[in-house]
Amino acid sequence: MSIDFYRDGAPVADAKAPAGPIENRWEKRRFSGRLVNPANRRKLRVIVVGTGLAGASAAATLGELGYRVANYCFQDSARRAHSIAAQGGINAAKNYRNDGDSVHRLFYDTVKGGDFRSRESNVHRLAEVSTEIIDQCVAQGVPFAREYGGLLDNRSFGGAQVSRTFYARGQTGQQLLLGAYQALQRQVAAGTVDLHTRHEMLELVIVEGKARGIIVRDLVTGEITTELADAVVLATGGYGNVYFLSTNAMGCNVTAGWRAHRKGAYFANPCYTQIHPTCIPQSGDHQSKLTLMSESLRNDGRVWVPKRKGDDRHPADIPEDERDYYLERRYPAFGNLVPRDIASRAAKVVCDEGHGVGPGGLGVYLDFADAIARLGKPAVEAKYGNLFDMYERITGENPYERPMRIYPAVHYTMGGLWVDYDLSSNIPGLFVTGEANFSDHGANRLGASALMQGLSDGYFVLPNTISDYLADGPFDALDETHEAVVAARREVEERIAFFLGNEGDRTVDSFHRELGKIMWEYCGMERTDEGLRKAIGLIRDLKAEFYKRVKVTGKAEGLNQELEKAGRVADFFELGELMCIDALHRTESCGGHFRAESQTDDGEAKRDDDEFSYVAAWEWGGDEPVLHKEALVFEYVKPTQRSYK
């Protein structure tokens, strides 16, 4: 085995991205892709796994086009997908504020915000489609905030100097998901979509090199069933729960994507994880998740810490000249609206230096006193009232009277399954949308761009690209007796039997919590060569102990949440190891991946474009994964050292 824990494979390339002027590439691809006529669509079956913004919008749109769609989610309602938790807003280059925004500026901001580690073609398409998303959602009745005159309102998010974020108070994800859900339910009623709730995908079926179905478990009855189709779409979200503590819903997992990875799908840039700067700090070891405070709060809230180390006075008693508004001091051009990776590292620095507030000194203040004085409490309440109420319910502190305490936490993952311009993985017939793929955000996602990507992929991109693949269908008929289907089902049944038969003495949660601590300590906000090597060893030892000592109670038949968690945590062990290997091999710093050995004199991330201007696409290889590199080419945005000063 290599001392670096991996071996090199052949380069990989995106063969679907058109050449020519970037503003014409998406239109060119839509025209060159083959179509399926309406009569033939009725003969084709597509599986969509996930009902968040990417999944619900894809299933609804494919159903509207006439395909026969099977849509799966593990929640008890499609409305409970984690997209519902998104708070702050959705970006679009509408330029309603006449403040200099444009498709090109959104494209530029996104490439720069991702620290020049994303594909130009994909990002420009995202910026183009963003304007169509807003029109689509308004037509659905999504209640975006409006100005006094009735026009849609905008606010600012990190990494931009324009106001391009559309929002519905602090509930934007919920309202957008309800819009996608009603579109989905329309197709369910029309009979084009079969919706299966409380079902979890546990294996991908590959027949003659093509994705042809999935193996699922009914989480209520325990029944194992097979769903076969002409194509499979994974819209299953991110893998932030590998850290145990994150802002993700506790059910969020990587299993669907990881099962595909083990069957041959490349997993790209797994070390690119986003640490969100505005989360409620952890209050103790008893916690099982963390709570996000929307980035929109940084529009009007000012971030500061006491200048004096260990200052435990009430914040109101600390004079203005004894406060350090460190983001405004370090980044005057962007102030409190720097990108998330930069704001998170800055918070870590001041807390490590002893200026943090609250228990353990792991917190900074987010203060609205100036905004309340300038705008009045009613105006602040109209913008952020539900967020302030949530904060008070969790902490017992009134943010109108006392600054919020915030600290960075795991929130989003930029890595995911590798896809080409058509959102197709390297396995024919397997498409991946939304946070489950890697394609648009590089090494750091800008705020309010996750909802943009999910709806872009589901409503506008996938329906225009999957037809090029399905034009060769319908493919040969399959049934459950096919040897590949039987083998996939057997793998699922054997995993379940192992967990239920293992006579261990430790709970799944105890292993998950320990894994999360390893990941946060060594592959969190700051990473080092020594720490990552140590983490790989610790994860391998803990994984071996997991298979010896894990105890799963209950039976295979019926509801068994311990069994559900056991399979998910088993996949997290393998993912966590790959994340550390990816972070170890990438010795540069970029975006959310910060290597302590690679920083500028003033502590900023230092890229190495000569060595690392590529996508790291990993092939499953057990203890020795195979690295395939996709070179990144920049024609329109020249990579420079990011500066928000």
Side-chain angles (χ1 to χ4, degrees), residues 17 19 54 104 139 180 498 507:
H104 187 81
F498 168 80
T507 65

Side-chain angles (χ1 to χ4, degrees), residues 203-220:
E203 194 57 80
L204 179 69
V205 177
I206 304 287
V207 177
E208 297 177 355
K210 295 183 175 71
R212 292 298 308 274
I214 59 175
I215 309 296
V216 297
R217 178 174 180 268
D218 185 321
L219 300 183
V220 177

Side-chain angles (χ1 to χ4, degrees), residues 28-160:
K28 184 176 180 180
R29 180 56 189 151
R30 283 196 292 181
F31 181 76
S32 64
R34 294 173 297 169
L35 302 177
V36 179
N37 78 55
N40 287 339
R41 292 174 201 159
R42 294 191 291 271
K43 304 173 186 177
L44 294 162
R45 190 163 182 82
V46 179
I47 297 169
V48 179
V49 185
T51 58
L53 289 180
S57 60
T61 308
L62 292 173
E64 184 80 47
L65 287 170
Y67 296 104
R68 294 182 296 125
V69 180
N71 194 194
Y72 284 85
C73 69
F74 63 75
Q75 294 89 353
D76 56 1
S77 167
R79 295 192 307 272
R80 299 194 69 179
H82 188 58
S83 298
I84 203 168
Q87 297 170 354
I90 177 170
N91 287 330
K94 285 287 197 180
N95 194 31
Y96 284 166
R97 288 292 184 90
N98 196 29
D99 55 0
D101 201 11
S102 64
V103 167
H104 187 81
R105 187 175 296 279
L106 176 53
F107 159 66
Y108 172 83
D109 287 347
T110 304
V111 172
K112 177 184 176 183
D115 217 351
F116 306 96
R117 289 293 176 263
S118 54
R119 294 178 182 147
E120 284 190 331
S121 293
N122 290 62
V123 176
H124 197 278
R125 176 176 64 189
L126 178 65
E128 287 179 64
V129 171
S130 70
T131 60
E132 300 176 51
I133 295 170
I134 302 304
D135 296 339
Q136 166 88 359
C137 294
V138 169
Q140 289 175 332
V142 173
F144 286 123
R146 293 179 180 268
E147 296 176 330
Y148 180 78
L151 299 177
L152 295 178
D153 195 14
N154 293 116
R155 57 190 177 196
S156 300
F157 260 59

Side-chain angles (χ1 to χ4, degrees), residues 6-13 119 261 264-270 418 426 438 578 582 585-586 613-621 624-632:
Y6 71 93
R7 54 193 172 89
D8 288 314
V12 64
R119 294 178 182 147
H261 175 58
Y266 295 164
F267 207 104
N269 300 335
W418 183 90
N426 59 298
F438 87 101
L578 182 62
D582 187 36
H585 109 277
R586 191 173 285 275
S613 188
Y614 61 77
V615 175
W618 295 92
E619 179 184 355
W620 170 253
E624 194 174 43
V626 181
L627 173 61
H628 302 272
K629 299 178 182 179
E630 179 199 334
L632 291 171

Side-chain angles (χ1 to χ4, degrees), residues 299-552:
N299 271 268
D300 292 304
R302 300 180 69 193
V303 180
W304 64 276
V305 292
K307 290 182 178 179
R308 194 177 76 196
K309 294 181 180 180
D311 193 333
D312 58 0
R313 287 177 291 175
H314 189 287
D317 296 332
I318 301 177
E320 193 73 14
D321 61 356
E322 295 182 30
R323 302 179 180 188
D324 180 13
Y325 295 91
Y326 59 90
L327 291 178
E328 298 174 25
R329 170 175 56 82
R330 292 183 60 177
Y331 308 102
F334 283 74
N336 295 297
L337 287 173
V338 292
R340 292 173 176 177
D341 58 321
I342 290 175
S344 292
R345 283 198 298 273
K348 181 181 187 299
V349 167
V350 295
C351 290
D352 288 349
E353 291 174 348
H355 298 281
V357 299
L362 294 178
V364 300
Y365 287 129
L366 181 60
D367 196 339
F368 288 85
D370 285 359
I372 292 171
R374 184 178 75 254
L375 303 172
K377 182 179 176 181
V380 173
E381 189 172 7
K383 283 185 175 182
Y384 311 115
N386 65 306
L387 299 172
F388 278 43
D389 291 345
M390 181 168 63
Y391 179 87
E392 185 170 10
R393 284 197 299 270
I394 292 172
T395 66
E397 299 175 359
N398 185 344
Y400 294 104
E401 300 173 357
R402 182 188 181 106
M404 290 183 178
R405 287 180 296 108
I406 57 170
Y407 193 70
V410 175
H411 175 60
Y412 185 89
T413 52
M414 285 74 67
L417 292 178
W418 183 90
V419 293
D420 61 19
Y421 192 70
D422 283 1
L423 303 183
S424 171
S425 73
N426 59 298
I427 297 177
L430 178 65
F431 294 79
V432 191
T433 64
E435 190 178 355
N437 73 34
F438 87 101
S439 67
D440 292 352
H441 305 297
N444 175 65
R445 176 176 67 76
L446 292 184
S449 289
L451 307 185
M452 176 173 63
Q453 186 207 351
L455 293 180
S456 167
D457 287 356
Y459 282 136
F460 299 103
V461 179
L462 180 75
N464 281 288
T465 59
I466 196 171
S467 62
D468 188 64
Y469 175 78
L470 292 174
D472 289 328
F475 300 103
D476 293 341
L478 284 180
D479 61 35
E480 296 184 15
T481 63
H482 191 284
E483 59 181 355
V485 181
V486 172
R489 181 175 179 132
R490 186 186 308 119
E491 290 174 25
V492 170
E493 293 171 340
E494 289 175 352
R495 281 203 304 274
I496 291 173
F498 168 80
F499 285 124
L500 291 173
N502 199 49
E503 294 297 327
D505 59 359
R506 282 188 63 178
T507 65
V508 176
D509 278 347
S510 71
F511 281 104
H512 193 183
R513 189 182 295 272
E514 190 171 345
L515 171 65
K517 288 181 177 178
I518 294 170
M519 294 299 298
W520 180 251
E521 179 69 23
Y522 301 110
C523 196
M525 275 195 284
E526 183 174 295
R527 299 137 183 208
T528 65
D529 183 280
E530 179 184 6
L532 290 165
R533 292 181 185 277
K534 181 177 180 180
I536 293 168
L538 291 172
I539 292 170
R540 289 180 172 178
D541 291 344
L542 187 62
K543 180 173 68 173
E545 185 179 352
F546 171 79
Y547 282 102
K548 288 179 182 177
R549 296 184 58 190
V550 71
K551 176 68 173 179
V552 177

